[in-house]
Amino acid sequence: EQVPDIWDYAIEGMEELLTVECASQVTLFKYPNMSFRGAAGHILPIFSLEKSLKELASHAAFRDRRAIPLMSAELSDTLVEFSLLKRPVKIEKGAEDIEIGRDWVAVEKGYMRSVILPQIPVRKKWTPQETVSYAILKAGFDPASDMDDVVLYRVRAQAFIEQKPGG
């Protein structure tokens, strides 16, 4: 089966947008229960929107270590969410500067990093501090350890999700 070309779906005036470098995320969900099926993203703008869509969708479907690779039989039951990200903003005050449900949370300590999407703390009913603590654990270090080297970022995004598979 041939992979569709993104240019087949571009509407008039959209061509320029597809060539702009942007930070983005693709998340896949099983329909209708919305269980996680894979995700991939770039928090910084390193690829064009066209390349990001292709690369990240492929990575989310077949190379996300948190999920088994997507099977062709699942395609008709898979929803795609695509998010365009704004540049990360360093947070000086701490967790109180995070708005649950709106902000992505990113932490960095040396070469260790992680990102928490805004819908996760909503589903888990986490506070901003719990969200930061989980992001720190996800990055691979203990939130009770020396926090002086931890850099916290807030990222805002516009998400687009299919209402049903295939559209």
Side-chain angles (χ1 to χ4, degrees):
E1 188 174 320
Q2 187 175 355
V3 176
D5 187 335
I6 194 168
W7 292 101
D8 293 341
Y9 298 94
I11 57 175
E12 188 175 326
M14 189 176 176
E15 297 86 359
E16 186 177 332
L17 177 63
L18 290 172
T19 63
V20 173
E21 287 185 354
C22 63
S24 54
Q25 166 89 17
V26 171
T27 307
L28 305 176
F29 299 98
K30 181 79 170 170
Y31 183 81
N33 66 6
M34 298 302 285
S35 59
F36 177 80
R37 285 301 287 121
H42 298 291
I43 200 165
L44 295 173
I46 59 175
F47 294 123
S48 69
L49 177 57
E50 176 188 13
K51 185 170 183 176
S52 289
L53 283 167
K54 290 177 181 178
E55 297 287 326
L56 297 175
S58 175
H59 187 93
F62 306 114
R63 295 188 304 276
D64 186 337
R65 295 175 294 175
R66 298 168 292 176
I68 60 170
L70 202 64
M71 305 296 286
S72 60
E74 294 180 272
L75 291 176
S76 63
D77 295 329
T78 302
L79 285 181
V80 178
E81 179 182 81
F82 178 73
S83 299
L84 291 173
L85 284 62
K86 292 185 177 182
R87 287 204 173 269
V89 174
K90 188 174 179 181
I91 295 176
E92 301 294 339
K93 291 183 182 177
E96 62 267 16
D97 281 348
I98 297 166
E99 185 176 321
I100 297 295
R102 180 194 65 192
D103 296 335
W104 295 42
V105 176
V107 297
E108 179 178 69
K109 182 175 181 177
Y111 64 89
M112 298 184 295
R113 297 180 180 116
S114 74
V115 176
I116 305 297
L117 305 182
Q119 60 268 36
I120 293 172
V122 171
R123 289 183 192 143
K124 304 273 187 184
K125 297 180 175 32
W126 288 341
T127 65
Q129 186 57 52
E130 289 170 323
T131 303
V132 170
S133 293
Y134 182 77
I136 290 168
L137 285 171
K138 184 179 173 192
F141 54 96
D142 184 353
S145 69
D146 180 16
M147 297 298 288
D148 291 339
D149 298 337
V150 174
V151 182
L152 179 63
Y153 298 94
R154 173 182 68 223
V155 183
R156 303 232 167 111
Q158 176 68 50
F160 305 89
I161 188 165
E162 295 179 296
Q163 297 299 309
K164 59 183 181 176

